[in-house]
Amino acid sequence: MAPRVRFAPSPTGRLHVGNVRTALFAYLAARAAGGTFVLRIEDTDRRRYDPDALADIYDNLTWLGLRWDEGPGAGGPHAPYIQSERVAGHRAVAERLVASGHAYRCYCDAARLERVRATHNGYDRRCRNLTPEQRSRHEEGGAAPVIRFRVPLEGSTRYDDLLLGSIERRNSDINPDPVLLKSDGFPTYHLAAIADDHDMAISHVLRAQEWVSSAPLHLLIFAACGWQPPRYAHLPAVNGPDGKKLGKRHGATAVHEFRRRGILPEALVNYLALLGWSAGDDREFFSLAELERCFGIDRLGRAGAVFDHQKLEWFNGHYIRGLPPARLAVALRPYLRDAGIDVAEGAAETALAELLRERISVLDEAPARAAFLGPDRDLPAAELVPRRLTAAAAATILQQASPLLEHLPSGDGEHALEDRLRELARAQGVKFGDLMMTIRMATTGSKVSPPLFGSLRVLGEQRLHARLARALHTLQAAAEEA
């Protein structure tokens, strides 16, 4: 039977790489086995609910290419899986558990629970065995009860985790009688997730290892309801280089932050897939389609994975170099324009993309590399003259080099131009590097830029010669003053 695997985020904050790796593994587990990937929005925590976080979930999953088959916006006969729209069904499950003796109403107020927590390891089960008369008195007093699950006091609960193997826990060590239904009528995670997994026929649940301790409780609830539980695979944490759980102290963690910097979705998917999964060989680069074919839960590791920003950028550089120049040009456009660098769409920006593709690892590095295309500016003579030259010598170089730069060749023609500039350097008795640095500073305003001839073609002949003329004027004035 084809698996049904869900990803069930809570819209309380931005989607981060830990969430996304879970979503990715769930998606791949479904796709690799010809199953169904279900998206369920667990929004019953209304106090922390954030509509922007909900939009962030939809937007970033779509950007990454993780298409869900059922859930919000999936279309077809399936109702959107929004947990807060399913509360009536959760309440009905809680009432059935009360009727069957697997749950009970608790009337303890917040002040009492606070005192109990200070002296007990959780709830003290005070309301577990109230008599009908005691319950009536509480209800007559207007107390709004919660519904708690009646955890067995004896025995143990065991299950086989797909990743961690056999896990067993004494029932007496499980959270004492946790709340299933809050006094406001909204379910807790322990009720809603179990009821929804059953209603949606979820066969496999991949989630973080922090939920390992809750799995026995969830299995007890499934059993109390008379339902077949899904198979669990608890994923190891994503850690920072210091071995601690990944957090803001390690740098960016939210997907939107990586997007803003210019990490490509293909790179992020590829890198996250390797944080805990291996194809069984040394291969590192996988498209999403390839991952869909070869992924398997049996190749997930148990140890925590280390998130390395530099390695992600290395992956991203690989994918940038693989982009067609026209597509890379479009991707770079907003970064350049935000930096005040406006390159004409078409051939010019495609040529710039070809210049930059080997020299950037993330898209937001492009403006610094393309700064020579910014507004023209007057440089002082001290910046235009290489250390071993005088202003007069630099001026002579620009005078004699300008005609050679009238028409900038490409391809093999660059070699001929370079030969002529080398001849000019020999004729002037200067080093070729000093000659080229004089031209570079005059035309780009920087000692470092992408390959000079390519940069000058993107700059355009009109701006090139205007800059040469401006620099020449500055150098001649400095030579006269010397």
Side-chain angles (χ1 to χ4, degrees), residues 384-406:
L384 292 168
V385 181
R387 188 173 55 199
R388 288 185 288 261
L389 299 184
T390 63
T396 300
I397 287 172
L398 292 188
Q399 279 182 315
Q400 299 195 14
S402 292
L404 301 179
L405 300 174
E406 283 290 342

Side-chain angles (χ1 to χ4, degrees), residues 184-346:
D184 61 3
F186 271 82
T188 64
Y189 175 82
H190 300 305
L191 172 61
I194 275 65
D196 287 346
D197 282 347
H198 169 72
D199 289 346
M200 298 169 194
I202 299 301
S203 63
H204 294 75
V205 172
L206 283 73
R207 60 185 183 183
Q209 281 189 6
E210 62 194 57
W211 291 103
V212 167
S213 61
S214 297
L217 168 63
H218 296 166
L219 292 171
L220 288 172
I221 297 173
F222 270 108
C225 292
W227 298 335
Q228 179 69 31
R231 298 294 307 277
Y232 288 107
H234 289 94
L235 305 173
V238 178
N239 299 322
D242 58 1
K244 296 180 180 179
K245 187 174 180 180
L246 189 68
K248 280 292 185 183
R249 64 186 177 280
H250 299 113
T253 60
V255 176
H256 80 98
E257 294 176 296
F258 292 110
R259 289 181 67 175
R260 186 171 62 235
R261 285 207 59 207
I263 295 294
L264 302 178
E266 300 91 339
L268 188 56
V269 163
N270 191 160
Y271 181 63
L272 289 179
L274 300 180
L275 294 185
W277 173 83
S278 169
D281 53 30
D282 294 332
R283 184 179 173 191
E284 290 190 289
F285 297 108
F286 297 86
S287 68
L288 183 57
E290 289 169 329
L291 289 168
E292 290 175 8
R293 291 193 295 270
C294 65
F295 181 84
I297 294 176
D298 59 330
R299 290 196 175 276
L300 290 174
R302 296 186 179 191
V306 175
F307 188 93
D308 185 332
H309 285 76
Q310 290 184 335
K311 187 68 177 290
L312 172 60
E313 291 181 9
W314 180 79
F315 269 89
N316 202 60
H318 168 84
Y319 280 97
I320 284 176
R321 291 188 291 277
L323 287 178
R327 182 182 165 192
L328 177 57
V330 173
L332 291 174
R333 193 179 296 160
Y335 294 90
L336 296 172
R337 289 182 177 174
D338 285 350
I341 300 171
D342 196 3
V343 184
E345 295 182 15

Side-chain angles (χ1 to χ4, degrees), residues 159 183 335 412:
Y159 73 100
S183 59
Y335 294 90
D412 292 340

Side-chain angles (χ1 to χ4, degrees), residues 442-469:
T443 56
T444 71
S446 173
K447 294 179 180 179
V448 180
S449 72
L452 181 59
F453 297 150
S455 298
L456 298 184
R457 282 196 300 274
V458 175
L459 182 65
E461 291 185 6
Q462 183 176 352
R463 294 185 73 187
L464 163 61
H465 291 289
R467 288 185 179 186
L468 286 171

Side-chain angles (χ1 to χ4, degrees), residues 323-376:
L323 287 178
R327 182 182 165 192
L328 177 57
V330 173
L332 291 174
R333 193 179 296 160
Y335 294 90
L336 296 172
R337 289 182 177 174
D338 285 350
I341 300 171
D342 196 3
V343 184
E345 295 182 15
E349 67 174 1
T350 300
L352 177 62
E354 289 184 293
L355 279 178
L356 298 180
R357 65 194 302 181
E358 298 287 340
R359 294 164 180 84
I360 59 174
S361 296
V362 287
L363 299 181
D364 73 353
E365 293 175 342
R369 297 284 188 175
F372 68 93
L373 294 171
D376 295 342

Side-chain angles (χ1 to χ4, degrees), residues 54-90:
L54 180 60
D56 184 78
I57 291 169
Y58 296 150
D59 182 39
N60 284 311
L61 290 181
T62 301
W63 176 71
L64 290 165
L66 306 186
R67 305 170 309 280
W68 53 98
D69 303 303
E70 296 179 19
H78 305 287
Y81 294 153
I82 307 292
Q83 205 164 63
S84 62
E85 297 177 3
R86 304 172 54 80
V87 169
H90 303 145

